[in-house]
Amino acid sequence: MSVKHIGLSVLVGLLCGQGMVRAQAPPSVPGAADVLPLYTPNGSDTGSSSTPSGSLPEAPLASSPAAAPAGTTAGGVAVDEGSPPIPPPVLPPLGLPASPWLVYPHSPCCCGPVGGCCSGPLGFEIFVRSGFAFPVGGNLLDRFLKTGWDIEGGGRLLFFNPQLVNKAWTISLSVSNIFARTGDDNQSFTLFRVPVKSAIQPPGSTTPLPVTITIPQLTASVSSLNMTFVNAGFGREWWLLGSADPGQQKGLNWRVGVDAGGRWGSAMVQFNEITHHDDVVGGIYCALHTDLEYPWRCGILFGGIRYEYNYIWTAIIQDQNNGDYQSMNLLFQLGARF
């Protein structure tokens, strides 16, 4: 046998002997310092003289919880076994979110009256009015303007009384227009420093140029007057027959009311001799009205007559000519209340 074969055999034997040494378990020495005692709930260990060699440790006693480690029960079970599972989210029902601004109580028909028990319910109505404007008074325009036409449209807010719902304070906002002509029976008056639009043709040019010329004095007469206003008023309503409550109405109801307010707008006067003039005007009004109401579906239809006094301050024909306008307006109105 060669030296080479002898060396390889010795190397293989050393490697196999090292694996056997590493796989051998350490000797079991009871009470050795490097051996940890087994935990028992009653405080005994495997090295105690009360436990026979080779027997199982005694069962834990329920009467000795103090020997268990902190955070465990007497049986050695940890107190905190983990957080409970998260409950599934509760989804809101389909539809509108639960907001008091959106899901407040409604009456069986439409939205019902709005308001509290102390202030009374609120109501809202829209209306359109149209009729005749009869000039009255002794001013220049009053004497020579014929009967005109008045048309108006707007809305009102009604504050009902909380007890009987047969009275209400009102606030109204509307837009109106009054138009009247003089016809052939008119009176001339004098205007001073009147701006008049004209056209001149420069020498050598074929195109006229627009210019404004101021006339020191001019005699003129009115052809028509057109006024447009924004109106705001305050009033009072009384129900003489039936009730204003939509839930108690079963037929025709009769109401009367008064209101007054102010007007602000613009006026345009058309002259027979020159072009029109514009001016800002303002005025006041007061009125009486009566209406018949009838409930229909989710609203209340009404129609009636309105008699109105109207006074407008204007300097549209200059201050030396008293151009204030007064009229008594007879109007027919239709509308709906909710």
Side-chain angles (χ1 to χ4, degrees):
M1 180 179 295
S2 65
V3 177
K4 182 177 180 181
H5 289 167
I6 295 173
L8 292 175
S9 300
V10 172
L11 179 60
V12 171
L14 291 175
L15 292 176
C16 293
Q18 185 179 4
M20 294 176 61
V21 171
R22 290 186 179 178
Q24 185 177 1
S28 176
V29 180
D34 56 347
V35 178
L36 297 178
L38 297 176
Y39 164 74
T40 56
N42 58 355
S44 62
D45 50 50
T46 55
S48 176
S49 59
S50 60
T51 303
S53 176
S55 63
L56 295 175
E58 296 180 358
L61 300 177
S63 60
S64 58
T72 62
T73 63
V77 181
V79 175
D80 187 7
E81 295 292 345
S83 301
I86 301 176
V90 180
L91 299 177
L94 297 178
L96 294 176
S99 172
W101 298 97
L102 300 176
V103 295
Y104 60 91
H106 292 71
S107 69
C109 183
C110 198
C111 298
V114 181
C117 59
C118 299
S119 59
L122 303 181
F124 176 76
E125 68 182 28
I126 55 176
F127 59 82
V128 59
R129 300 165 180 163
S130 184
F132 305 99
F134 302 99
V136 296
N139 299 329
L140 184 63
L141 295 177
D142 299 334
R143 294 197 306 268
F144 297 100
L145 284 173
K146 303 298 183 180
T147 299
W149 190 258
D150 185 358
I151 185 171
E152 181 179 0
R156 291 203 307 171
L157 187 63
L158 295 88
F159 301 84
F160 293 98
N161 61 322
Q163 293 83 13
L164 302 177
V165 196
N166 60 355
K167 301 177 184 178
W169 295 102
T170 65
I171 296 177
S172 61
L173 187 65
S174 62
V175 177
S176 63
N177 177 265
I178 299 176
F179 179 80
R181 295 183 179 274
T182 58
D184 297 331
D185 186 14
N186 52 37
Q187 178 182 355
S188 300
F189 49 89
T190 302
L191 300 175
F192 298 98
R193 300 185 59 82
V194 180
V196 178
K197 293 182 179 181
S198 181
I200 61 173
Q201 186 171 353
S205 176
T206 58
T207 303
L209 299 177
V211 295
T212 301
I213 303 174
T214 300
I215 301 177
Q217 182 173 335
L218 176 68
T219 300
S221 59
V222 174
S223 173
S224 63
L225 177 66
N226 191 351
M227 298 179 290
T228 302
F229 304 97
V230 174
N231 315 300
F234 179 77
R236 182 69 164 165
E237 300 286 313
W238 295 271
W239 274 257
L240 304 182
L241 179 64
S243 172
D245 187 357
Q248 301 180 12
Q249 291 190 348
K250 297 179 175 57
L252 285 176
N253 301 300
W254 177 33
R255 70 175 184 180
V256 297
V258 297
D259 63 285
R263 289 176 168 164
W264 187 262
S266 64
M268 181 184 71
V269 61
Q270 189 73 41
F271 298 100
N272 292 313
E273 296 78 13
I274 57 177
T275 58
H276 65 273
H277 282 182
D278 299 325
D279 192 18
V280 177
V281 295
I284 58 173
Y285 71 92
C286 58
L288 302 170
H289 69 268
T290 179
D291 302 287
L292 292 178
E293 296 183 339
Y294 187 81
W296 185 71
R297 296 198 177 186
C298 291
I300 300 173
L301 304 180
F302 65 86
I305 300 176
R306 177 181 176 88
Y307 195 64
E308 180 180 278
Y309 171 73
N310 179 51
Y311 193 104
I312 305 299
W313 289 278
T314 174
I316 197 168
I317 55 175
Q318 298 185 351
D319 294 335
Q320 72 274 7
N321 304 307
N322 192 343
D324 293 349
Y325 176 79
Q326 301 180 67
S327 66
M328 301 296 295
N329 304 335
L330 179 61
L331 307 177
F332 303 93
Q333 67 177 1
L334 295 173
R337 179 163 61 88
F338 305 96

